[in-house]
């Protein structure tokens, strides 16, 4: 327990569903959630969208675990993609959450 510089990659896990679906619009938001499943406090737990690191909207440390959330505004139909937990190029979750944006306008 405590603050650690590195995390075992197997302990990073997406907590949001593997498949997520959304419409799009100015007020539509989707929240991705990931967690370190071991007791540790990380201030740099983020997300990756397949092309770049995405900074978490908020992080919290509760019950000995770090959770990060990313709020994505789905204002256009091209906001879909696959997201992973990300700490570094060597520390990324094997689990993903895929967002599919539906064209139901």
């Amino acid at each position: 327990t405590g603050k650690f510089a590195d995390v075992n990659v197997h302990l990073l896990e997406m907590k949001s569903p593997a498949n997520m679906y959304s419409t799009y619009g100015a007020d539509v938001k989707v929240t991705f959630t990931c967690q370190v499943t071991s007791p540790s406090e990380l201030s740099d737990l983020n997300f990756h969208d397949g092309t770049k690191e995405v900074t978490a909207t908020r992080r919290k440390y509760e019950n000995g675990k770090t959770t990060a959330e990313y709020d994505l505004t789905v204002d256009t139909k091209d906001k879909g993609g696959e997201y992973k937990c990300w700490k570094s190029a060597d520390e990324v979750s094997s689990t993903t959450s895929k967002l599919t944006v539906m064209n139901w306008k």
Side-chain angles (χ1 to χ4, degrees):
T1 300
K3 295 183 181 183
F4 299 99
D6 299 312
V7 171
N8 184 319
V9 96
H10 303 289
L11 302 176
L12 293 175
E13 179 180 272
M14 287 298 290
K15 298 302 281 182
S16 45
N19 292 298
M20 299 169 60
Y21 300 89
S22 175
T23 58
Y24 65 94
D27 297 325
V28 177
K29 290 195 187 310
V30 171
T31 300
F32 294 95
T33 305
C34 74
Q35 183 178 58
V36 180
T37 60
S38 68
S40 58
E41 184 175 354
L42 299 175
S43 60
D44 57 351
L45 183 60
N46 288 307
F47 295 84
H48 201 278
D49 69 1
T51 60
K52 65 185 178 311
E53 182 176 359
V54 180
T55 302
T57 305
R58 70 196 144 274
R59 293 179 200 91
K60 49 189 171 179
Y61 179 67
E62 294 179 329
N63 302 320
K65 295 182 180 179
T66 300
T67 302
E69 296 178 330
Y70 172 58
D71 296 330
L72 174 67
T73 300
V74 188
D75 52 358
T76 61
K77 60 184 173 184
D78 65 347
K79 291 288 179 97
E82 208 166 74
Y83 288 77
K84 293 183 175 192
C85 292
W86 175 272
K87 185 175 180 309
S88 72
D90 297 323
E91 298 165 298
V92 60
S93 65
S94 60
T95 53
T96 62
S97 287
K98 181 179 180 183
L99 174 64
T100 300
V101 179
M102 308 304 284
N103 208 4
W104 299 328
K105 275 261 193 208

